[in-house]
Amino acid sequence: MIELADVLEAQDRVRATSRHTPLEYSHTYSSMTDADVHLKLETFQRTGSFKIRGATNRVATLSQAEKDAGVVTASAGNHAQGVALAATRSGVDSTIVMPEHAPISKVKATRNYGAKVVLDGTDYNEAAQRAHELEETEDRTYVHAFDDEYVMAGQGTIGLEILEDCPDVDTVVVPIGGGGLISGVAAAIKEQRPETRVIGVQAEGASSAATSLEKGERISLDGVDTIADGIATRSVGEKPFAHIQEYVDEVVTVSDSEIAVAIVYLLERSKTLVEGAGAVPLAALLFEHFDYEEGETIVPILSGGNVDLNTLTNIIVRGLVETGRYLKIRTVLKDRPGALEKLLEIFTEYQVNIYAIHHDRTSREVEMSDTEVEIELEMRGPDHVDSFLEALREEGYVVDILA
């Protein structure tokens, strides 16, 4: 088990490489939740993620022989960039194995930080198998993404910064993938301020820690499925699991839809780009997945902002759908002059803006005397959507909601 002393030692090692990231009060989320919300913005960390902290601490503790042999690791992207930069700054050769479908932006960034990148496997666990093979064949030191006490202690420096900037914090909300981040943060906070709660959050599609706690033992999921690729691990680490059992007050899960909404809010209201893994703490708060008192001081750790732009586009659309800002519908009209104009009169009455419209006379799903119409719409919220759809149906239109 790591202790406060280990985190304090790590702080000395990582100070020259990592940044003391901002802790900013959010009027928006405080108003939405009736809590006192302060965002820990690890999105502004070097490499765009907290991972540089643990990677730097681990590389700094290598022997000279280990440094000469080089390091290897597996990662979905953020740990990859952290290890690449930490190794390059220390003159250590690094090889990173990433899943074949890792975001392109993270692959490029890892290479730019000086690492050799090998793409292998469908997810983190399969990439890790290949990385361990390289560990054996090339005699490299494996830098684990989370199941390593030096890595955990490095991540725990975030907890030191939170208590320095907000000494009276009541609750810290932390994302969980393999568990390295929450282990270090919880140890740093609980050994200084035991009354502060530490809440862990996972995606529903990668809930290994939550399930393990329910069963009282570490379990491995058959697979993972979530937009939060940074925490898409099949199992929580052995060392982190012991720390979670010891220090963490509660672990909750959030859906991909809730994650998407949190990302959209952060973009629109906070002008901050946060990846899925980094948005899960705010999602848990906004959708009330844990209890808290009115006025309670809560710090969600926004752990990273490295999101692939193609993925971001899909997430934004999903978030807009969930908040009633985007609607895609299908209906059938008679194939005759004026039919579309009559439909659009309802759009005008309800002040609905059209993004795109597709008019298809050749669809095999409708009669030859009909035409199919798919329309993408900008809406103003759930109530606007409901009233608009009700008006369409009252006029006799059969409407299918596509998104």
Side-chain angles (χ1 to χ4, degrees):
M1 298 283 288
I2 64 170
E3 300 176 348
L4 177 60
D6 299 307
V7 182
L8 292 170
E9 288 179 5
Q11 189 176 46
D12 290 335
R13 298 188 190 105
V14 308
R15 185 176 282 117
T17 301
S18 68
R19 296 170 179 154
H20 184 130
T21 52
L23 183 67
E24 294 190 354
Y25 169 74
S26 172
H27 176 78
T28 296
Y29 306 119
S30 296
S31 177
M32 292 172 67
T33 61
D34 291 325
D36 177 34
V37 180
H38 300 251
L39 304 178
K40 179 59 172 172
L41 298 171
E42 279 295 289
T43 51
F44 295 149
Q45 185 57 263
R46 296 190 69 176
T47 73
S49 162
F50 74 96
K51 289 286 191 176
I52 185 63
R53 298 172 183 264
T56 297
N57 193 44
R58 184 66 186 96
V59 171
T61 57
L62 295 174
S63 68
Q64 189 57 53
E66 289 172 327
K67 290 181 178 179
D68 292 341
V71 297
V72 64
T73 193
S75 170
N78 288 335
H79 179 64
Q81 294 173 66
V83 171
L85 179 57
T88 297
R89 284 176 62 89
S90 297
V92 175
D93 184 71
S94 62
T95 296
I96 316 292
V97 184
M98 304 176 72
E100 293 174 354
H101 302 295
I104 295 172
S105 59
K106 294 183 179 182
V107 173
K108 289 183 177 179
T110 302
R111 287 177 174 145
N112 289 340
Y113 286 127
K116 175 185 176 182
V117 175
V118 176
L119 298 178
D120 197 299
T122 60
D123 59 14
Y124 167 79
N125 295 75
E126 292 186 4
Q129 292 178 7
R130 177 65 185 281
H132 282 300
E133 292 173 4
L134 295 175
E135 175 191 12
E136 294 294 326
T137 59
E138 300 182 7
D139 197 29
R140 293 175 177 268
T141 297
Y142 190 89
V143 180
H144 203 287
F146 48 83
D147 211 352
D148 181 289
E149 292 181 349
Y150 288 112
V151 170
M152 293 155 59
Q155 322 300 26
T157 57
I158 297 175
L160 300 180
E161 292 177 9
I162 290 173
L163 288 181
E164 180 181 341
D165 296 340
C166 188
D168 297 327
V169 59
D170 296 308
T171 300
V172 178
V173 193
V174 192
I176 302 178
L181 173 60
I182 197 168
S183 299
V185 168
I189 288 177
K190 287 292 190 177
E191 292 196 13
Q192 295 181 86
R193 186 177 163 81
E195 64 269 32
T196 296
R197 289 191 305 166
V198 177
I199 305 291
V201 188
Q202 293 199 292
E204 289 178 355
S207 58
S208 60
T211 305
S212 295
L213 286 173
E214 290 176 2
K215 295 183 177 297
E217 61 180 353
R218 286 176 64 235
I219 60 94
S220 181
L221 303 173
D222 294 333
V224 292
D225 184 14
T226 174
I227 61 173
D229 60 280
I231 53 174
T233 57
R234 295 185 196 175
S235 61
V236 67
E238 181 178 357
K239 294 181 177 69
F241 185 57
H243 286 74
I244 291 170
Q245 289 179 304
E246 176 71 20
Y247 291 119
V248 176
D249 295 276
E250 185 178 2
V251 175
V252 300
T253 62
V254 294
S255 68
D256 275 3
S257 295
E258 291 167 340
I259 296 169
V261 170
I263 291 172
V264 169
Y265 278 142
L266 285 161
L267 278 171
E268 187 172 50
R269 305 298 294 274
S270 303
K271 310 300 183 279
T272 301
L273 176 62
V274 180
E275 62 185 285
V280 297
L282 183 61
L285 174 59
L286 293 179
F287 289 93
E288 300 180 345
H289 284 286
F290 61 91
D291 296 328
Y292 59 88
E293 300 293 331
E294 183 176 344
E296 183 173 323
T297 300
I298 302 175
V299 175
I301 297 178
L302 309 186
S303 59
N306 296 320
V307 57
D308 183 75
L309 291 181
N310 291 328
T311 302
L312 179 62
T313 300
N314 295 332
I315 290 173
I316 289 175
V317 171
R318 179 70 171 272
L320 291 174
V321 170
E322 295 297 328
T323 54
R325 303 275 299 281
Y326 174 91
L327 179 66
K328 185 176 182 180
I329 63 173
R330 172 190 177 275
T331 191
V332 176
L333 308 177
K334 286 299 179 182
D335 188 15
R336 60 190 179 205
L340 181 58
E341 180 181 5
K342 182 180 178 182
L343 173 66
L344 296 182
E345 286 176 358
I346 303 174
F347 288 36
T348 301
E349 179 183 353
Y350 281 84
Q351 297 184 326
V352 174
N353 193 34
I354 299 175
Y355 283 128
I357 184 167
H358 179 68
H359 193 268
D360 186 5
R361 290 185 174 89
T362 62
S363 173
R364 294 182 178 179
E365 297 182 7
V366 300
E367 300 294 332
M368 293 185 64
S369 59
D370 294 335
T371 183
E372 180 182 83
V373 180
E374 288 187 5
I375 311 174
E376 298 176 54
L377 305 166
E378 179 185 10
M379 308 299 292
R380 297 198 303 273
D383 291 342
H384 190 211
V385 171
D386 290 343
S387 61
F388 171 66
L389 291 175
E390 183 179 354
L392 289 176
R393 287 162 179 153
E394 285 180 351
E395 289 296 323
Y397 295 101
V398 177
V399 179
D400 296 323
I401 299 174
L402 304 181

